[in-house]
């Protein structure tokens, strides 16, 4: 794993369970409590600031990236969509394959928040998840270790989700904590896992936040969100004719902080510490904390909708285990294996997993469990629309 600046309150217990048995196993090896390991800064990285030349070309590249974050669909894309879906089929339609791959393995579920558990909305403070989604996530955590991995700060995501039995990785995985309460895959009541590889950047982040709020206050619709270890400048409500001005204002602030990097998501500009840490690192850290650092007995499932989730999808590809599921209505270049159209489909996906968790926890034979699970999922699977 990548070097980390990490604080562990207690040595964590891992899992050594198959698809038939969800029981704790021996403790995994983790850094000793209070152990601090330096995280090297990135020497180079590809982002929207990476163009050569003077200030103008960089602003142009930034604007191009901002426009690309929400492309306008064209009717001519129909064939491309069909081709894309053929390579990234619906996770609902391929659920049998997912369950069969989980035989003899412990499923671990990772979920992005915005666009995955909640719809994308104009006001980021109103990105509420439905009660049905919350119930589905709660049930998932009953059967499988479940983590929320978000660009939002950990406290804000917890306030949205309101489930204390989950792992939370906020600020793109730079702030990780274990459940306040858990089920059979967690030992003890007061254990807490805390990973904050960018703690030294906190004063700098606060300073940049104040500067960005001042610089952008004259641009209607612009909103700067402090996510503790990173900042988000939302421009979903900004008129496109003002994007150039917004980009210039953001650049005028970030150019004074070479240790920070500027990246871009869905209608949002993000300022993060330039360290080797992202959602992919967070996924690896959580798997290691559960005792699955170099294990073949685990099946990670990561569901996300944004380009920042690609780091986690790529980790799963490189590990050669688990499935990335991209939530998207339009074709995107992705390392995900499967797709879902929208958060509503994600509810169905979690319901499928919960049925599997319930069935697989019962005292049947292994083959019987697989057959029963796939049969039930087939019964509730949405039927394709008739032509």
């Amino acid at each position: 794993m990548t070097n980390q600046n990490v604080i562990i309150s207690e040595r964590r217990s891992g899992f050594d369970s198959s698809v038939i048995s969800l029981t704790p196993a021996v403790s995994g090896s983790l850094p000793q409590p209070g152990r601090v390991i330096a995280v090297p800064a990135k020497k180079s990285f590809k982002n929207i600031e990476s163009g050569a030349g003077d200030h103008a070309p960089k602003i142009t590249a930034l604007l191009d990236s901002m426009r690309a974050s929400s492309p306008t669909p064209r009717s001519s894309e129909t064939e491309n969509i069909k081709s894309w879906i053929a390579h990234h089929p619906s996770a609902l339609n391929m659920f049998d394959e997912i369950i069969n791959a989980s035989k003899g393995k412990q499923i671990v579920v990772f979920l992005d928040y915005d666009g995955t558990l909640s719809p994308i909305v104009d006001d980021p403070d109103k990105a509420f998840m439905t009660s049905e989604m919350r119930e589905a996530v709660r049930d998932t955590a009953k059967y499988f270790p479940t983590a929320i991995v978000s660009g939002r700060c950990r406290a804000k995501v917890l306030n949205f989700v309101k489930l204390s039995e989950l792992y939370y990785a906020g600020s793109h995985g730079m702030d990780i904590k274990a459940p306040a309460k858990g089920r059979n895959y967690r030992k003890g009541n007061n254990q807490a896992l805390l990973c904050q590889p960018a703690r030294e950047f906190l004063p700098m982040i606060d300073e940049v936040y104040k500067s960005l709020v001042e610089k952008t206050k004259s641009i209607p619709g612009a909103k700067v969100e402090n996510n503790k270890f990173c900042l988000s400048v939302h421009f979903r409500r900004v008129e496109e004719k003002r994007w150039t001005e917004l980009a210039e204002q953001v650049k005028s602030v970030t150019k004074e902080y070479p240790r920070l990097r500027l990246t871009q998501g869905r209608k949002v500009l993000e300022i993060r510490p330039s360290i080797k840490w992202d959602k992919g690192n967070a996924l690896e850290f959580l798997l290691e904390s559960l005792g699955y650092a170099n294990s073949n007995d685990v099946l990670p499932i990561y569901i996300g909708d944004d380009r920042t989730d690609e780091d986690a999808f790529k980790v799963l590809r490189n590990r050669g285990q688990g499935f990335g599921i991209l939530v998207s209505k339009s074709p995107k270049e992705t390392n995900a294996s499967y797709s879902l159209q929208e958060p509503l489909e994600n509810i169905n996906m979690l319901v499928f997993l919960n049925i599997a968790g319930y069935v697989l926890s019962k005292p049947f034979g292994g083959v019987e469990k697989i057959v029963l699970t796939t049969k039930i999922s087939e019964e509730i699977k949405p039927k394709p629309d008739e032509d």
Side-chain angles (χ1 to χ4, degrees), residues 5-7 150-156 168-177 194-209 225-232 259-261 263 270-275 277-278:
N5 178 359
V6 61
I7 299 174
S150 172
R152 303 262 197 163
C153 73
R154 177 166 53 82
K156 189 169 294 185
Y168 286 91
S171 303
H172 298 287
M174 296 186 199
D175 189 12
I176 302 176
K177 196 168 186 179
L194 185 63
C195 173
Q196 296 181 331
R199 293 175 66 194
E200 65 175 293
F201 287 86
L202 286 176
M204 186 184 300
I205 293 291
D206 287 338
E207 188 177 308
V208 174
Y209 171 71
E225 184 178 16
N226 190 338
N227 289 312
K228 191 170 182 177
F229 292 96
C230 58
L231 302 171
S232 299
R259 297 184 67 199
L260 300 178
R261 58 178 172 134
T263 61
E270 296 179 309
I271 296 93
R272 293 191 262 170
S274 56
I275 63 173
W277 197 268
D278 51 39

Side-chain angles (χ1 to χ4, degrees), residues 40-51 257-263 270 272-278:
K42 285 191 175 181
K43 293 182 179 180
S44 64
F45 44 83
K46 292 182 179 179
N47 56 50
I48 53 184
E49 292 188 286
S50 60
Y257 298 88
R259 297 184 67 199
L260 300 178
R261 58 178 172 134
L262 180 61
T263 61
E270 296 179 309
R272 293 191 262 170
S274 56
I275 63 173
K276 294 180 179 179
W277 197 268
D278 51 39

Side-chain angles (χ1 to χ4, degrees), residues 11-258:
R11 189 177 296 271
R12 302 291 300 156
S13 62
F15 298 89
D16 185 15
S17 30
S18 69
V19 74
I20 299 171
S21 174
L22 304 178
T23 54
V26 297
S27 298
S29 60
L30 285 173
Q32 292 293 333
R35 181 180 178 188
V36 177
I37 307 173
V39 179
K42 285 191 175 181
K43 293 182 179 180
S44 64
F45 44 83
K46 292 182 179 179
N47 56 50
I48 53 184
E49 292 188 286
S50 60
D54 58 19
H55 184 63
K58 293 183 180 180
I59 289 294
T60 301
L62 177 54
L63 287 170
D64 288 343
S65 182
M66 291 167 73
R67 294 188 183 101
S69 69
S70 186
T72 302
R74 299 188 300 272
S75 58
S76 61
E77 294 179 342
T78 303
E79 291 304 317
N80 289 337
I81 292 175
K82 290 181 178 179
S83 175
W84 186 83
I85 291 177
H87 289 89
H88 305 92
S90 167
L92 297 175
N93 294 335
M94 302 302 292
F95 187 74
D96 295 357
E97 181 176 300
I98 294 173
I99 286 299
N100 285 326
S102 74
K103 187 175 181 180
K105 298 179 173 62
Q106 168 70 59
I107 294 175
V108 181
V109 179
F110 299 88
L111 302 164
D112 179 34
Y113 184 76
D114 292 275
T116 300
L117 297 182
S118 75
I120 296 294
V121 295
D122 288 343
D123 186 349
D125 290 333
K126 295 181 180 179
F128 304 117
M129 65 192 301
T130 64
S131 57
E132 291 82 6
M133 180 68 84
R134 181 174 292 105
E135 189 65 26
V137 174
R138 178 188 287 115
D139 289 343
T140 301
K142 290 178 182 178
Y143 302 110
F144 315 112
T146 303
I148 309 295
V149 186
S150 172
R152 303 262 197 163
C153 73
R154 177 166 53 82
K156 189 169 294 185
V157 177
L158 176 58
N159 186 56
F160 276 132
V161 179
K162 303 182 187 304
L163 296 175
S164 58
E165 54 266 53
L166 310 179
Y167 290 84
Y168 286 91
S171 303
H172 298 287
M174 296 186 199
D175 189 12
I176 302 176
K177 196 168 186 179
K181 65 177 182 179
R183 294 182 66 84
N184 63 348
Y185 53 79
R186 190 163 178 271
K187 185 170 66 176
N189 295 319
N190 299 310
Q191 292 180 326
L193 174 152
L194 185 63
C195 173
Q196 296 181 331
R199 293 175 66 194
E200 65 175 293
F201 287 86
L202 286 176
M204 186 184 300
I205 293 291
D206 287 338
E207 188 177 308
V208 174
Y209 171 71
K210 293 174 183 176
S211 296
L212 285 172
V213 169
E214 182 65 27
K215 286 280 189 179
T216 62
K217 67 181 182 181
S218 62
I219 303 176
K223 181 180 180 61
V224 184
E225 184 178 16
N226 190 338
N227 289 312
K228 191 170 182 177
F229 292 96
C230 58
L231 302 171
S232 299
V233 182
H234 299 273
F235 59 91
R236 185 170 296 276
R237 303 173 73 177
V238 177
E239 293 184 71
E240 188 169 347
K241 64 183 181 181
R242 304 292 296 271
W243 287 3
T244 298
E245 180 184 354
L246 178 62
E248 289 175 342
Q249 296 289 14
V250 172
K251 286 284 296 181
S252 69
V253 174
T254 58
K255 70 179 183 181
E256 302 298 326
Y257 298 88

Side-chain angles (χ1 to χ4, degrees), residues 343-382:
L344 183 59
E345 284 197 347
N346 192 28
I347 293 180
N348 292 335
M349 183 65 193
L350 294 179
V351 168
F352 281 18
L353 284 172
N354 298 340
I355 291 172
Y358 175 78
V359 172
L360 300 175
S361 67
K362 297 304 178 181
F364 303 130
V367 174
E368 291 173 317
K369 288 173 183 286
I370 295 294
V371 171
L372 182 57
T373 301
T374 54
K375 183 177 180 180
I376 293 175
S377 67
E378 189 64 34
E379 288 296 320
I380 66 173
K381 189 177 297 183

